[in-house]
Amino acid sequence: CTGEQKLEMDAVLEEVDRMETLIQEILRFSKPLSLTISKGDINAVLKKCVAALQDKIKAKRIRVLCEAQDETAYLRADMDKMHQVFLNLLVNAIEASEEGGTIEIHSRSIPFSNNGRPKGIEIQVTDHGVGIPPDNLSKIFDPFFTTKNYGTGLGLTICAKIIEEHNGEIIVKSEKGRGSVFTIRLRK
């Protein structure tokens, strides 16, 4: 096998991997969600996501600040799906951040009822990166919408679907050139 043939084979294998990822995401998107609900600590999920992304975080010398109102924040949810949501949001935040930038993750209890007692949890993932242009903001949860040269455009669509299946909400605020804040609100 010559060097040129090896390069061509590597390119083909890389494309096969990319296609497999695309097919898996399309299949995951097209199927109704099957949730496995259990009581779990969302702060522990957030810490695991940050730990899983350490290589990407270190490669861009990004500082990740985690601030939790409570040491533990229990809720009834599919914790694997929550991991998927926050992993996706953090990957997007890393990609949007400049080298040496900062990502902030905040979690806090919030009231969902009139009696003022905490009935839910709010998690915010903030990057101080490139931001989302206003004309793209309304499209970011649409299937197959992407501004990246790679990827499927299904990541945020799947995140929104997971949060909606948990009767929660996902809100994004962004300013081009200043960054984005993704806010997730979930019932306990």
Side-chain angles (χ1 to χ4, degrees), residues 23-37:
I23 290 167
Q24 291 299 323
E25 286 194 15
I26 290 170
L27 289 173
R28 191 173 22 226
F29 173 71
S30 64
K31 284 195 266 183
L33 282 179
S34 172
L35 301 178
T36 305
I37 304 295

Side-chain angles (χ1 to χ4, degrees), residues 49-167:
C49 290
V50 171
L53 295 170
Q54 278 305 303
D55 288 345
K56 289 178 183 284
I57 291 166
K58 287 178 182 175
K60 286 185 84 172
R61 295 184 354 258
I62 292 173
R63 217 171 52 140
V64 178
L65 304 174
C66 295
E67 183 180 296
Q69 179 185 43
D70 304 306
E71 191 172 317
T72 56
Y74 287 99
L75 66 123
R76 295 190 52 73
D78 185 320
M79 291 300 150
D80 288 336
K81 298 278 193 284
M82 289 295 116
H83 187 273
Q84 182 181 351
V85 166
F86 291 108
L87 197 67
N88 187 281
L89 292 179
L90 286 169
V91 166
N92 287 350
I94 291 166
E95 291 173 355
S97 295
E98 299 290 328
E99 191 164 321
T102 302
I103 295 171
E104 300 170 42
I105 305 166
H106 299 276
S107 71
R108 66 185 185 103
S109 296
I110 56 169
F112 262 101
S113 62
N114 293 334
N115 67 12
R117 279 192 245 137
K119 293 286 184 185
I121 296 173
E122 179 181 87
I123 303 101
Q124 289 187 323
V125 177
T126 304
D127 69 67
H128 302 279
V130 295
I132 303 165
D135 48 326
N136 288 347
L137 209 49
S138 64
K139 303 176 206 170
I140 63 169
F141 296 110
D142 292 349
F144 307 108
F145 177 78
T146 185
T147 58
K148 299 175 184 177
N149 293 329
Y150 53 89
T152 61
L154 287 174
L156 288 175
T157 306
I158 292 169
C159 288
K161 186 175 179 181
I162 291 169
I163 297 303
E164 287 168 14
E165 288 291 320
H166 283 83
N167 296 313

